[in-house]
Amino acid sequence: MKKTLNLLLAGVASMGLAFGACAKDYITLASTTSTENSGLFASILPKFEDATGIQVRVVAVGTGQAFEIARRGDSDSLLVHDTTGEKRFVENDFATERADVMYNDFVLIGPADDPANISEAQGATEAFAAIADAEAPFASRGDDSGTNRAELRLWKNAGVAADGDWYRELGSGMGPTLNTAAAMDAYVMSDRATWVAFGNRQNLTLLFEGDKVLFNQYGSLLLSEEKHPHLKHDLAQQWHNWLLSEDGQQAIAEFKVDGQQLFFPNAK
């Protein structure tokens, strides 16, 4: 009986040690699909965990959804790419600080034969107007993501009401939207990182890039302790600080796909 009790106690102690080894500090991060789908987080999160012992559990959604998750107090931190929306989030007291972290750019993708001839456009506005004039199929994320918000601004700049049978709002993330565009032989706007990491290109190719209006800034936000005192603000502060630190910025710069750097650190 005593031997059985000792074995039982030893088993309980062993389970406790195993649980202690697994029960690491963690934060929940609401972020964009581009940072997840590109492989950036798979590259940099282990470096952050090694430096701090803190795990980051990512909820990868469109920027609009990420804002809503953070607004409800269902994430400890926020990393998105809609500077106007981020500043408004701070102004509305849902966050106490916003900082530039990194940037890349948006690109216009389409069928190799380029029926709207956007590869010859002198700017993004002209490229979008050409797609609308040709009524060439266009696949839009339609999900209130940072990419979708930027796309809608570009249609507005071009003086185009994006509707009709040629314009397809999908309500999907960037990867699924690219898959649909490939199946439809449609034009699509993507962040460069997701496009470079995307494998199912079929007849799609990069047709337009380089306009300054396609600049794509990412920002990290510290959420309001007053609105959501239950969040892990101390751990989120460590994540925010690391992203802006020399080590975090270097980790971002070192991430490459097929030898191509996809995100460019620019913390001030």
Side-chain angles (χ1 to χ4, degrees):
M1 180 71 176
K2 184 177 180 180
K3 182 177 180 182
T4 301
L5 179 60
N6 287 340
L7 286 172
L8 179 61
L9 291 173
V12 170
S14 177
M15 288 172 63
L17 287 171
F19 178 78
C22 293
K24 294 185 177 182
D25 288 332
Y26 72 91
I27 60 169
T28 300
L29 171 66
S31 190
T32 71
T33 59
S34 57
T35 45
E36 178 78 3
N37 292 346
S38 64
L40 175 71
F41 281 151
S43 175
I44 71 171
L45 294 187
K47 297 175 183 178
F48 172 69
E49 186 175 344
D50 287 345
T52 63
I54 301 167
Q55 290 181 342
V56 179
R57 301 179 182 178
V58 179
V59 181
V61 291
T63 286
Q65 290 176 273
F67 278 134
E68 184 56 33
I69 289 169
R71 192 176 288 111
R72 294 196 307 263
D74 291 336
S75 70
D76 301 297
S77 190
L78 186 62
L79 178 63
V80 287
H81 63 141
D82 177 24
T83 302
T84 300
E86 293 158 28
K87 290 179 178 178
R88 190 180 304 120
F89 206 74
V90 175
E91 290 167 0
N92 291 336
D93 297 325
F94 288 103
T96 56
E97 182 180 323
R98 179 216 166 267
D100 289 342
V101 173
M102 61 191 181
Y103 69 91
N104 60 11
D105 63 343
F106 296 112
V107 292
L108 282 173
I109 311 300
D113 61 348
D114 191 15
N117 200 31
I118 69 168
S119 60
E120 300 298 322
Q122 297 302 303
T125 297
E126 184 178 323
F128 273 78
I131 293 169
D133 287 344
E135 295 191 351
F138 186 95
S140 170
R141 285 181 60 165
D143 63 348
D144 194 33
S145 60
T147 303
N148 184 222
R149 291 181 179 193
E151 175 218 315
L152 293 177
R153 287 194 295 271
L154 289 165
W155 288 120
K156 184 177 180 180
N157 291 346
V160 172
D163 55 22
D165 292 340
W166 59 275
Y167 184 76
R168 310 289 179 86
E169 289 185 283
L170 303 176
S172 299
M174 196 68 255
T177 299
L178 283 167
N179 275 319
T180 300
M184 292 171 54
D185 230 15
Y187 289 97
V188 61
M189 190 173 93
S190 173
D191 66 280
R192 186 182 295 270
T194 306
W195 168 249
V196 170
F198 181 64
N200 180 34
R201 297 185 178 187
Q202 298 185 49
N203 190 41
L204 295 183
T205 190
L206 194 160
L207 293 171
F208 184 86
E209 60 184 325
D211 191 324
K212 64 182 180 181
V213 300
L214 298 176
F215 180 79
N216 183 28
Q217 178 69 53
Y218 290 78
S220 174
L221 288 87
L222 289 175
L223 303 183
S224 169
E225 188 167 356
E226 183 177 345
K227 284 190 180 294
H228 299 299
H230 66 285
L231 298 181
K232 300 172 184 176
H233 295 283
D234 54 338
L235 303 185
Q237 179 80 61
Q238 291 185 60
W239 162 247
H240 181 81
N241 291 348
W242 183 83
L243 283 172
L244 307 181
S245 72
E246 184 176 342
D247 287 345
Q249 295 281 281
Q250 182 177 344
I252 292 167
E254 289 175 348
F255 170 64
K256 297 180 180 179
V257 173
D258 295 334
Q260 183 174 343
Q261 184 176 343
L262 300 185
F263 296 92
F264 297 85
N266 67 340
K268 298 178 177 63

